Amino acid sequence: MNYSENIKYDFIDSELFFEKIEKIKKHNSDKEGLKYTTLTYGCQMNANDSEKIAWILELMGYSKTDEIEEADFVIFNTCAIRENAELKVYGKVGSLKTIKEEHNPNLKIAICGCMMQIDSIRDTIENKFKHVDIIFGTNNIQKLPELFLQNLDTKKTAVDVVESSFNVVEGLENIRANDHSAYVNIMYGCNNFCTYCVVPYTRGREVSRRAEDVLDEVRKLAEEGYKEITLLGQNVNSYGKTLGNNYGFTDLLRDIDKIDGIKRIRFMTSHPRDISDELITAYGELDKLSNSLHLPVQSGSNNILKSMNRHYTREKYIESIKKLRQVSPDITLSTDIIIGFPGETEEDFLETMSLIKEVEYDFVYNFIYSVRPGTKAAHMEEQVPYEVKHDRFVRLNEVVNDIIIKKNREMIGSVVEVLVDGVSKTNDEILTSRTDEFKIVNFPGNKSLIGELVNIEITHASTFALEGKLV
């Protein structure tokens, strides 16, 4: 369906927005050293949203801290995909009540993101966590200053959640995690309605950003020295369908490939139903397009794929993989697998195992199915017992890890170009980096190399990372 007639493109740099920012700064003028922290759960879309939230908070006069106990403003950017993330949020929010009441009465607490788009969860927050000051959703980040002022005036929780929005707000900037690799949203929402997923309900229906806005953002990043960009969307393959023209995802990739300064282009996530021959061809033609693809299959069983409402078959998926490897034999492939979806039999599970063995992925992200409120799968009969799901999870991981370590060991002795991301979390004398194929490579080196492209000889391989030395 084409929603182009309903979509409105707004720019945030309006007088009203900055007028509210100035009011907040005036209110905080007698408070020195105000700090904020954001706790981000979920996907890269949430990470990108948190970078925009950070920009607003710094305009408001707050500076970043990683220590929640030091913060005067704590924002939880939530995920509704898995139950574990939801429970973590409840625990963390609850723990702040004592801090606010006994140590920092000026502490502001906000919760945003996908969880807040679900009525039952939002009601739980409002009723059980009265110390929360602000609640907003995925489609109205720009409302944060307004909600802050509303909370100041009323002393009550300020809530603003847009259930479904066709407004694309441009002009929000990001406080980027680093100065060499950046996320760029190209679209919002999803139209696929997989039976296990809440995204169409939490992030709304699919809407694409205008190509000129995306390209302007990428050009600005290139001018600022960024070498790598990752294009984000719930289903990037369907980019452009709401724009009302014939400009699609591969057209966007080709235009970004022409931008000087950008060295690598990545994207996620792709839907197998919409992967086109045009996109596959681009892997053999575009110099900057990363030689990797994340293509979530979810299950190797056609019965389960149909129950998931995925709109492709195992055979169609494997056909796409074969075409990709014809164009780019060394392409790195990763996928998502849901284990124990309602109705999954041992035969269905073995079909998933056989697909993994046939494709031989470089990365597999396995998830045990959990019931999510608001999805069709939550009401399906034949829910698989946890013990069965866990057993299958363990068995599948054994197969996956054997494949990954075999493929990684084949790289020993090769020389690869990597983009240096930063310092290892466990050893400050070791740098961590990624190949064009998205494989992690750790090596000893000087911090001055962070953000640079360097050549590394692979000397050792494990399941989750490679090790090497500068050449």
Side-chain angles (χ1 to χ4, degrees):
M1 183 179 293
N2 193 327
Y3 301 104
S4 57
E5 293 182 359
N6 300 320
I7 298 170
K8 181 180 179 182
Y9 292 89
D10 289 332
F11 281 81
I12 199 61
D13 52 340
S14 63
E15 291 184 12
L16 186 61
F17 177 80
F18 285 102
E19 179 183 311
K20 296 180 188 303
I21 292 288
E22 290 304 315
K23 285 183 179 179
I24 294 169
K25 290 172 69 176
K26 184 177 180 180
H27 169 80
N28 288 334
S29 61
D30 61 339
K31 304 177 184 68
E32 294 184 1
L34 290 174
K35 297 180 179 180
Y36 76 90
T37 191
T38 54
L39 287 82
T40 305
Y41 302 85
C43 66
Q44 289 82 0
M45 297 282 282
N46 273 17
N48 191 42
D49 287 346
S50 288
E51 290 183 350
K52 290 179 169 61
I53 290 167
W55 175 71
I56 295 174
L57 290 171
E58 297 201 4
L59 286 178
M60 290 162 55
Y62 292 83
S63 60
K64 181 178 173 59
T65 178
D66 292 325
E67 303 298 328
I68 193 169
E69 294 81 6
E70 295 179 356
D72 302 285
F73 202 142
V74 179
I75 290 194
F76 296 86
N77 190 358
T78 63
C79 172
I81 299 298
R82 284 177 288 279
E83 184 180 18
N84 189 43
E86 180 183 325
L87 296 177
K88 283 183 179 179
V89 171
Y90 288 148
K92 289 278 191 181
V93 173
S95 70
L96 290 179
K97 183 177 181 180
T98 301
I99 294 176
K100 184 169 183 174
E101 290 179 348
E102 299 181 6
H103 303 288
N104 187 359
N106 293 317
L107 173 64
K108 295 295 181 185
I109 302 169
I111 309 181
C112 64
C114 293
M115 274 176 58
M116 296 304 96
Q117 296 289 150
I118 299 175
D119 293 345
S120 60
I121 297 177
R122 191 170 65 251
D123 289 344
T124 297
I125 295 293
E126 289 190 65
N127 294 326
K128 294 186 177 182
F129 299 89
K130 300 289 187 180
H131 57 292
V132 172
D133 300 284
I134 299 169
I135 293 173
F136 59 103
T138 58
N139 299 313
N140 55 348
I141 291 171
Q142 75 281 4
K143 289 289 193 71
L144 178 55
E146 179 181 330
L147 295 171
F148 185 97
L149 292 172
Q150 182 181 326
N151 173 254
L152 286 180
D153 290 340
T154 66
K155 310 302 180 186
K156 297 179 181 179
T157 305
V159 182
D160 191 329
V161 174
V162 179
E163 297 296 340
S164 180
S165 175
F166 292 118
N167 280 18
V168 178
V169 179
E170 300 288 353
L172 286 172
E173 298 186 21
N174 296 53
I175 301 295
R176 305 284 181 180
N178 59 57
D179 58 6
H180 58 272
S181 180
Y183 293 130
V184 177
N185 267 112
I186 65 171
M187 59 192 302
Y188 305 94
C190 184
N191 286 350
N192 288 311
F193 290 93
C194 300
T195 56
Y196 55 82
C197 186
V198 296
V199 167
Y201 310 102
T202 61
R203 286 194 171 270
R205 302 299 296 273
E206 179 182 298
V207 178
S208 296
R209 291 178 67 194
R210 293 177 299 195
E212 56 265 36
D213 294 326
V214 175
L215 294 171
D216 283 347
E217 183 175 348
V218 175
R219 291 189 192 100
K220 182 179 178 182
L221 289 168
E223 291 169 0
E224 293 172 355
Y226 285 84
K227 295 181 175 67
E228 176 183 88
I229 60 162
T230 301
L231 306 176
L232 298 180
Q234 304 302 148
N235 177 16
V236 293
N237 297 346
S238 63
Y239 171 82
K241 290 183 179 179
T242 62
L243 293 176
N245 55 36
N246 292 320
Y247 189 95
F249 182 53
T250 308
D251 298 307
L252 183 67
L253 289 175
R254 292 186 184 281
D255 283 342
I256 293 173
D257 194 67
K258 300 171 186 175
I259 296 176
D260 292 336
I262 299 299
K263 303 297 183 183
R264 289 181 178 176
I265 306 168
R266 303 190 189 278
F267 59 84
M268 62 176 14
T269 295
S270 299
H271 195 296
R273 179 187 67 177
D274 295 317
I275 190 165
S276 65
D277 288 343
E278 184 182 16
L279 176 58
I280 292 171
T281 299
Y283 273 92
E285 297 179 348
L286 302 185
D287 294 334
K288 300 175 184 178
L289 181 58
S290 175
N291 195 31
S292 63
L293 176 65
H294 184 67
L295 195 63
V297 67
Q298 307 300 0
S299 174
S301 162
N302 283 337
N303 290 333
I304 298 300
L305 289 174
K306 183 177 181 180
S307 184
M308 289 178 168
N309 196 38
R310 292 291 285 174
H311 296 287
Y312 57 84
T313 62
R314 172 196 178 103
E315 292 74 23
K316 173 66 169 61
Y317 183 93
I318 291 175
E319 180 186 348
S320 296
I321 297 297
K322 289 179 178 178
K323 288 180 178 179
L324 280 161
R325 284 183 165 151
Q326 288 175 353
V327 171
S328 182
D330 298 325
I331 191 169
T332 294
L333 296 171
S334 60
T335 198
D336 294 339
I337 298 289
I338 295 176
I339 298 169
F341 187 80
E344 182 188 76
T345 64
E346 179 68 9
E347 182 181 356
D348 293 323
F349 172 69
L350 292 176
E351 288 184 19
T352 298
M353 292 272 270
S354 69
L355 182 140
I356 287 172
K357 292 175 182 178
E358 180 173 354
V359 175
E360 291 198 327
Y361 294 100
D362 295 85
F363 311 96
V364 177
Y365 303 94
N366 302 326
F367 306 100
I368 293 177
Y369 171 78
S370 61
V371 173
R372 304 311 298 136
T375 64
K376 288 186 177 181
H379 305 287
M380 289 181 177
E381 298 179 357
E382 300 181 68
Q383 297 287 333
V384 180
Y386 178 80
E387 295 77 11
V388 175
K389 292 188 287 189
H390 185 265
D391 174 69
R392 291 173 183 171
F393 179 81
V394 172
R395 290 158 59 196
L396 187 138
N397 269 344
E398 290 176 355
V399 171
V400 166
N401 290 342
D402 286 345
I403 293 170
I404 293 174
I405 190 65
K406 181 196 76 170
K407 298 190 78 170
N408 283 350
R409 285 173 178 165
E410 291 171 353
M411 295 184 65
I412 294 175
S414 64
V415 175
V416 296
E417 184 182 62
V418 300
L419 178 62
V420 185
D421 283 328
V423 178
S424 168
K425 294 179 180 178
T426 58
N427 186 340
D428 59 10
E429 295 183 356
I430 299 296
L431 299 179
T432 185
S433 64
R434 286 195 185 267
T435 68
D436 185 53
E437 291 77 20
F438 207 60
K439 297 206 174 203
I440 297 172
V441 180
N442 298 318
F443 66 95
N446 191 285
K447 293 179 182 178
S448 63
L449 294 176
I450 294 174
E452 299 298 323
L453 289 160
V454 297
N455 290 324
I456 300 294
E457 181 184 348
I458 304 302
T459 58
H460 180 75
S462 65
T463 306
F464 302 106
L466 301 165
E467 296 177 15
K469 61 183 180 180
L470 280 164
V471 295

